[in-house]
Amino acid sequence: MKAMILAAGRGERMRPLTDNCPKPLLKVRGRPLIVWQILSLVRAGITEIVINHAHLGHMIEAALGDGAQFGAQIQYSPEGAALETAGGIAQARHLLGEQPFLVLSGDIFCPHFNYEQVLNTLEDKDMWGNPWPLGERDMAWLYLVKNPEHHPQGDFALHNFSLANQGETLWTYANIGVYRPEMFDGIEPGTHAKLGPLLHKYVDRGLLGGEVYRGQWTNVGTTEQLAQLNAPLTTPTTLTN
């Protein structure tokens, strides 16, 4: 399976840090956010990686190179101006092949996510080995998390591993998902296109599956969040007599 790491965002809320450094290269515990993701992918055996970039993209290429230092093979999909998530995936479509691929954001911190679990999420056959009828198989498999403070309304409900747009409990898309490439065939390369409307359209058709991830996960969007992640892991205890 190939993976695409989304790294084209400007990171406006992280300014002034992102004025001279692309957001995915900001460090948590001495390591760039995007490198945490690359190393997790390689541990799971996912070594073919595509990275899109726009703002200060040359710095991302200079820092990561061809990926050999991490045991990966990295290709880049440069964008003159960020094309949004769906537009960025469509732009890189020719690099991602014809099999389901993983998409994840380069600015999330989830060091314990085991990417091995994504490898068989979009099987073409059911548990008895029978091919899924076209129009019934999941087109994507999304990982959801508990709603963070900045997104209390959530994105999707989950019923028996099937996503719904409404429900008693809503969860937030973790920016980690496996997609069939044909989902993006209707988007012309170079087009600005958001992912949200596309996902909701397929949810309405009952064609998106997913599950909840309950491990550590942070969508690093503010300087305060970055500082919290870099805070000492333990507080020294003051001894008294």
Side-chain angles (χ1 to χ4, degrees):
M1 177 179 285
K2 292 186 177 183
M4 179 173 183
I5 302 179
L6 303 171
R10 174 64 176 81
E12 289 289 347
R13 291 186 299 157
M14 298 292 287
R15 298 182 69 182
L17 296 180
T18 52
D19 286 343
N20 299 300
C21 178
K23 187 178 175 184
L25 291 185
L26 295 177
K27 291 184 178 181
V28 171
R29 302 175 192 172
R31 177 181 291 166
L33 282 164
I34 197 169
V35 172
W36 282 98
Q37 295 284 38
I38 292 171
L39 293 176
S40 292
L41 291 171
V42 171
R43 281 197 298 271
I46 302 173
T47 58
E48 294 183 74
I49 300 171
V50 175
I51 300 174
N52 71 332
H53 61 69
H55 173 63
L56 300 177
H58 66 282
M59 295 181 64
I60 293 176
E61 293 200 23
L64 306 180
D66 63 3
Q69 60 183 311
F70 311 111
Q73 303 169 40
I74 297 177
Q75 294 180 286
Y76 296 95
S77 179
E79 301 169 14
L83 299 174
E84 300 287 355
T85 302
I89 296 171
Q91 178 78 359
R93 173 74 175 76
H94 65 290
L95 299 174
L96 293 167
E98 300 303 322
Q99 299 300 315
F101 52 81
L102 172 67
V103 176
L104 58 149
S105 291
D107 58 0
I108 56 175
F109 183 69
C110 50
H112 306 300
F113 190 97
N114 182 4
Y115 285 103
E116 288 184 10
Q117 65 186 300
V118 314
L119 297 176
N120 299 311
T121 53
L122 291 183
E123 293 286 352
D124 287 326
K125 298 179 180 180
D126 63 21
M127 66 180 67
W128 298 281
N130 300 313
W132 287 106
L134 292 178
E136 293 187 14
R137 65 183 186 176
D138 287 328
M139 295 297 290
W141 189 269
L142 308 186
Y143 291 86
L144 310 176
V145 292
K146 182 180 178 181
N147 299 333
E149 291 184 3
H150 71 273
H151 192 62
Q153 71 273 22
D155 297 311
F156 303 105
L158 190 61
H159 303 297
N160 296 324
F161 300 103
S162 181
L163 270 61
N165 285 321
Q166 295 182 342
E168 182 177 345
T169 301
L170 295 181
W171 304 84
T172 292
Y173 175 42
N175 294 329
I176 302 172
V178 180
Y179 295 86
R180 295 191 187 278
E182 54 265 36
M183 275 188 66
F184 303 92
D185 284 349
I187 303 174
E188 283 291 325
T191 302
H192 287 76
K194 294 180 179 293
L195 183 61
L198 183 64
L199 294 179
H200 287 291
K201 181 180 76 172
Y202 278 96
V203 168
D204 283 337
R205 295 169 56 188
L207 296 177
L208 291 195
E211 61 188 279
V212 174
Y213 173 65
R214 301 183 186 275
Q216 181 182 6
W217 179 91
T218 303
N219 184 353
V220 185
T222 66
T223 55
E224 291 77 14
Q225 287 177 312
L226 187 65
Q228 288 174 1
L229 290 173
N230 282 314
L233 297 179
T234 58
T235 302
T237 302
T238 301
L239 300 178
T240 58
N241 293 327

